[in-house]
Amino acid sequence: MKTAIVFHDDFRKYALGSDHPFTGERYKHLPEVFGHKDLSARKSEITFMRPKPADEACIEAVHGEQYLGFIRGINETGGMITLDTPIPPGLYDIARLFAGANILAGRLIAENMVRRVVVPGLGAHHAGYDFGGGFCMINDIAVMIEYLRKYYPVQKIMAIDYDAHCGDGTQDIYYDCPDVLCVDLHQDPMTLFPGKGFAYQIGVDAGQGHTINLPMPPGASDEDFMRAFQEVILPVAMDFAPDLIVANGGLDAHVDDPLSQLRLSINGFQQMMRSIADLSQKVCDSRLILILGGGYNPKVVPAAWTAMISAMLGGPKSNVTASTAPPAFDPAIGRQVGEMVQEVKRIQRPYWPCLCAPA
């Protein structure tokens, strides 16, 4: 069964200003990505799909009326959500297009047309029920999840967020929901925006234990991320048994990215994606959506996107590289990661017995 790529040329119009780190420039690398030998040799396994903007009702299923009134207003004139998130006129229309792309991705899987979908898109995980910021306006991830839960028998969804910044908006929307499991690998919020995503933030009411934060210390590298994945994410996913996995995040955890102090390599991104793809095969018949964020170092984007899509397709280890060799494992950082993982297990154990220490 083919893998779908959902893309629209207007994606590049989600740009917050010529002097802002979030621009549409990342999309100029797509010909290089799909021209790479790792992907061009497998073009028969890929189909491209063009999305339409999400209906307003789909957006209203996720965000509050007052907040939507505000952002629709500044969509006409331009304005600002927060100091880091200026809104040029018309940006809301492009955000709706990203939400529509994710809805199409979900529909393709729910209707058994494909098993895996890549959206080289936004993943606006900082947009919550009644707030935006962090370059995000509407939460296109949650829009897709709510669409699937309403119209298809897709009830249990696991959202794996590997961005350097905690997906606080997605967590806000599902903080009391037991059917959407939000697992988030990110840099320690004591050291990075948005200042949320601590291990003790686990959800409320029926949603307790269905938000799992894995705050990585600055300097964490490939081995550290894989330890957190193997010791926490994998066993919890096996117990939760989702109908679908949604993976999203930017490339800002890369060692060369200017907006974080994490040290993932291209190999690390590929290994993580391969692990997520293997996990989807075990727990949900390979049903997997990958929402590819861009990161803020343009030299990293084509190599990382190529490596991650190749891993999702199940291909051999990619030979793409970026400007910096993979960082060496730091034992001191590794000890901090080990302590964090044990703390997360202790906190989450009442909800996930699979995290109990072996006898």
Side-chain angles (χ1 to χ4, degrees):
M1 191 172 285
K2 289 190 175 185
T3 293
I5 310 289
V6 179
F7 177 73
H8 196 290
D9 286 339
D10 284 349
F11 281 2
R12 67 183 74 247
K13 294 181 181 178
Y14 197 99
L16 303 187
S18 58
D19 58 348
H20 194 280
F22 202 110
T23 72
E25 285 296 299
R26 64 195 65 187
Y27 294 109
K28 72 180 183 181
H29 297 292
L30 278 178
E32 179 183 348
V33 170
F34 291 105
H36 192 279
K37 64 180 182 179
D38 285 358
L39 297 183
S40 62
R42 307 184 68 182
K43 59 184 179 182
S44 63
E45 302 173 40
I46 299 172
T47 184
F48 285 84
M49 306 291 287
R50 194 169 188 262
K52 297 179 180 179
D55 293 338
E56 293 287 357
C58 298
I59 310 299
E60 291 164 0
V62 168
H63 294 290
E65 180 180 356
Q66 185 174 1
Y67 175 66
L68 287 176
F70 166 67
I71 62 174
R72 286 166 180 160
I74 61 175
N75 187 55
E76 299 296 325
T77 60
M80 185 174 291
I81 295 179
T82 58
L83 290 176
D84 65 356
T85 311
I87 304 299
L91 193 73
Y92 175 66
D93 304 316
I94 307 304
R96 284 179 53 222
L97 182 60
F98 278 109
N102 287 351
I103 287 174
L104 177 56
R107 289 179 57 203
L108 289 170
I109 290 177
E111 295 176 12
N112 293 314
M113 298 176 67
V114 299
R115 281 289 182 270
R116 294 176 177 176
V117 185
V118 178
V119 183
L122 185 59
H125 63 168
H126 294 307
Y129 173 76
D130 58 359
F131 64 87
F135 315 161
C136 302
M137 176 183 278
I138 61 173
N139 194 310
D140 50 312
I141 307 161
V143 170
M144 176 264 292
I145 289 174
E146 288 309 294
Y147 186 91
L148 292 181
R149 295 176 73 207
K150 180 175 182 179
Y151 293 108
Y152 294 93
V154 180
Q155 296 305 310
K156 295 175 66 178
I157 297 173
M158 183 176 188
I160 302 175
D161 191 323
Y162 56 83
D163 196 272
H165 305 83
C166 172
D168 58 317
T170 309
Q171 292 187 14
D172 170 74
I173 293 165
Y174 293 110
Y175 211 54
D176 62 353
C177 178
D179 298 321
V180 179
L181 174 61
C182 295
V183 181
D184 205 307
L185 290 150
H186 51 265
Q187 185 169 316
D188 184 344
M190 289 291 288
T191 66
L192 195 67
F193 176 90
K196 303 175 187 176
F198 294 94
Y200 63 80
Q201 294 176 315
I202 63 170
V204 295
D205 301 331
Q208 287 188 54
H210 287 76
T211 293
I212 301 177
N213 285 299
L214 291 154
M216 309 295 287
S221 58
D222 298 354
E223 292 88 344
D224 301 310
F225 274 77
M226 289 313 302
R227 177 175 185 176
F229 187 93
Q230 294 293 334
E231 294 195 26
V232 177
I233 298 176
L234 178 59
V236 168
M238 298 297 288
D239 270 16
F240 183 61
D243 300 313
L244 170 71
I245 293 176
V246 181
N248 75 279
L251 306 174
D252 44 12
H254 190 271
V255 62
D256 286 338
D257 195 277
L259 293 195
S260 87
Q261 292 78 49
L262 297 173
R263 300 168 66 242
L264 272 180
S265 70
I266 297 298
N267 289 342
F269 278 107
Q270 185 175 44
Q271 185 179 15
M272 181 163 54
M273 190 65 245
R274 191 182 302 277
S275 297
I276 294 172
D278 290 345
L279 176 61
S280 74
Q281 187 173 21
K282 293 175 182 176
V283 299
C284 55
D285 197 22
S286 296
R287 294 183 179 89
L288 172 62
I289 296 173
L290 170 61
I291 302 171
L292 279 173
Y296 305 98
N297 183 334
K299 295 180 180 179
V300 172
V301 172
W305 279 7
T306 301
M308 295 185 78
I309 296 172
S310 176
M312 190 175 184
L313 290 170
K317 183 177 179 180
S318 177
N319 60 3
V320 295
T321 59
S323 58
T324 302
F329 174 72
D330 185 329
I333 298 295
R335 285 191 291 273
Q336 294 180 47
V337 171
E339 292 169 359
M340 179 274 293
V341 166
Q342 292 307 312
E343 178 68 1
V344 170
K345 287 182 177 181
R346 183 190 66 78
I347 292 170
Q348 294 286 350
R349 201 167 287 146
Y351 314 101
W352 302 103
C354 60
L355 297 179
C356 289

